Amino acid sequence: MLRAVARGDTEALAVLYDRHAGWLHARLTRRCPDGETVREVLQDTFVTVWRSAGGHRGRGEAGGWLWVIAARRLVDAQRAGARADRAAAHAAAVPSESPGTAPSAEERVLAGLEYGEVGAALDRISPELAEVLRATVVDGLTTRETARLLGIPEGTVKTRALRARRELRAALAAGNPGGPHALGGTA
């Protein structure tokens, strides 16, 4: 299906949308109560799929790849919304610490996972391992749900999760040779 989309087949994109938009919308809604933002993110997800379907490696089902795109687009949208809120608050001389403008704890964690040290370390491990970690840890899916989403057996999910954690620890250690003290932590 994605190969057809990569070739510019609009009917294939429509079929892909019909198959995946419902569950993507439901999962995005669990993370964001703003229906307009969810609709925009969903639309942006499929625009991104249209533009980059040729880059999909073809391993597993398209659902995992679609969710990664959607989740990243949601973080971007929430970040942009938070920036706009802060700018409006600043323009109105409202302190930026007001509850309506501060990013939520989940937004800060997702931003850190995406763009912080953990995100950089996730980029250094193999994509199939990172996919499993994102599904099980970031999205909070069960082993069964992750297996279904990624189109792999449950045992493979468990094995990849163990390997991913090991590789992530090593990638984090390699990117932070000073150890916990370099992060401001304690031993």
Side-chain angles (χ1 to χ4, degrees):
M1 184 71 58
L2 285 173
R3 283 189 216 110
V5 172
R7 289 189 305 267
D9 185 339
T10 57
E11 288 181 30
L13 181 64
V15 169
L16 193 69
Y17 181 89
D18 289 343
R19 285 184 186 170
H20 297 281
W23 71 264
L24 281 170
H25 186 275
R27 286 185 72 189
L28 289 167
T29 300
R30 280 191 273 163
R31 285 195 173 183
C32 177
D34 180 18
E36 183 62 29
T37 299
V38 169
R39 284 187 292 278
E40 288 176 14
V41 166
L42 191 60
Q43 179 180 355
D44 190 34
T45 297
F46 282 94
V47 168
T48 301
V49 167
W50 176 253
R51 291 180 181 155
S52 61
H56 183 258
R57 290 190 263 297
R59 287 182 275 184
E61 292 184 18
W65 185 65
L66 288 169
W67 176 244
V68 169
I69 293 169
R72 288 178 180 171
R73 293 297 171 265
L74 181 60
V75 169
D76 292 344
Q78 289 173 327
R79 238 189 244 125
R83 277 193 301 271
D85 288 348
R86 283 191 300 272
H90 181 68
V94 174
S96 63
E97 288 82 29
S98 68
T101 61
S104 70
E106 182 180 49
E107 289 170 334
R108 289 192 305 271
V109 168
L110 288 174
L113 286 173
E114 188 69 25
Y115 298 104
E117 283 184 57
V118 175
L122 276 171
D123 289 340
R124 290 193 297 265
I125 68 174
S126 66
E128 62 271 0
L129 298 181
E131 243 180 7
V132 167
L133 271 187
R134 283 189 176 104
T136 58
V137 177
V138 178
D139 298 332
L141 299 179
T142 65
T143 300
R144 176 172 284 145
E145 291 168 332
T146 300
R148 194 174 311 126
L149 175 70
L150 300 178
I152 58 177
E154 289 181 42
T156 303
V157 170
K158 292 175 185 177
T159 303
R160 286 184 184 175
L162 288 172
R163 280 186 47 217
R165 286 184 178 93
R166 225 177 302 133
E167 287 190 24
L168 186 62
R169 275 192 295 275
L172 283 167
N176 183 25
H181 297 290
L183 292 175
T186 58

